[in-house]
Amino acid sequence: MSKFLNEFKEFALRGNVLDLAVGVIIGGAFQGVVNSLVQDIISPIIGLFANKDFSNFVMTIGGVELKYGSFVTALINFIIMAFVIFLIVKSMNKLATLGKHSEVAVTEEQSTKVCPYCCSEISINATRCPNCTSEL
């Protein structure tokens, strides 16, 4: 039993699990902000065109109410959240690869060059191309 508890403790205190927990909490708070944006600002603006609160649009079919206004509001929430998450992931990926590309480009430029005759990649110190044997 103590081995099981130690394994659980090791799992729960790993960096990835804590990062995930923080992400879920921040995501929940962010969802509240997006819901407020859509319900309090975007839906009333869209509702101006219909002279009615957009989230209250209801269609009655056979005595059953279909609340399509609430569905459209939820769809707008989803699109906004997906777009913001896309922007965050894109910017984080760009930040992660920012330094890597410049270092790789510098080392490649310093160690190789292109033969002007056969366009093959050769050592920067070469005086004759090993592929086409042209003098450089």
Side-chain angles (χ1 to χ4, degrees), residues 52 54-72:
K52 187 177 179 185
F54 185 69
S55 62
N56 292 330
F57 284 162
V58 177
M59 183 184 336
T60 304
I61 299 176
V64 177
E65 290 184 347
L66 299 175
K67 298 180 180 181
Y68 68 93
S70 295
F71 174 74
V72 172

Side-chain angles (χ1 to χ4, degrees), residues 80-94:
I80 291 173
M81 288 189 70
F83 181 70
V84 170
I85 290 171
F86 167 74
L87 291 177
I88 290 171
V89 169
K90 185 175 178 175
S91 64
M92 294 302 283
N93 287 342
K94 189 172 183 176

